[in-house]
Amino acid sequence: MQNCIRTLPLNILRDLNNPELINVQTPGGFAEIVGGNKGILIFNKNGTEFVAFDKLCPANDCNQPMIFENRILKCSCDNSRYSVDFGGAPQTNGFECPAIEYRVVKNGTTLQISSFN
């Protein structure tokens, strides 16, 4: 895990009423915004909990951002998969590094997305 990519300092505020986040307002909904290394996925886990992940492939072996489908982030270059329900944990044998997760704090209709460090 020592060779895993660390998060960059990040602090983004987004209003849930913004049209780009309309899908994030419902449980299971998601949106993709500009930021981080390859863009950021925001996912509404259950209506009150939100998670955010960088779309950079954890192995850093791909120029394409990861694709989100069925609660899984997928890296198209090495076919590795990462669960948004389990902190970005790899779901593919042989992969140790998780997807880069950001902290999400909801305050009213505002989401603050920031690095954990």
Side-chain angles (χ1 to χ4, degrees):
M1 295 275 282
Q2 288 180 328
N3 294 330
C4 296
I5 300 165
R6 305 279 181 243
T7 60
L8 298 173
L10 183 80
N11 192 12
I12 297 173
L13 295 175
R14 287 288 190 276
D15 193 310
L16 283 169
N17 292 323
N18 185 318
E20 74 172 343
L21 296 186
I22 195 82
N23 292 332
V24 160
Q25 295 177 9
T26 57
F30 70 95
E32 297 177 5
I33 63 169
V34 173
N37 293 294
K38 295 278 184 195
I40 296 171
L41 170 87
I42 305 169
F43 181 70
N44 182 334
K45 286 180 83 166
N46 55 22
T48 56
E49 275 184 273
F50 295 84
V51 292
F53 293 93
D54 202 296
K55 291 172 31 184
L56 175 74
C57 291
N60 200 16
D61 59 355
C62 196
N63 290 328
Q64 301 299 314
M66 286 196 285
I67 299 160
F68 182 64
E69 200 173 83
N70 299 325
R71 300 173 89 99
I72 297 286
L73 279 162
K74 299 179 193 174
C75 180
S76 60
C77 294
D78 59 21
N79 292 317
S80 56
R81 303 157 70 91
Y82 306 87
S83 171
V84 298
D85 290 308
F86 299 104
Q91 304 298 298
T92 309
N93 287 340
F95 288 83
E96 292 183 7
C97 296
I100 297 169
E101 184 174 9
Y102 297 110
R103 176 193 332 251
V104 181
V105 177
K106 183 176 183 276
N107 186 359
T109 62
T110 302
L111 293 182
Q112 179 179 13
I113 302 153
S114 60
S115 43
F116 280 103
N117 43 0

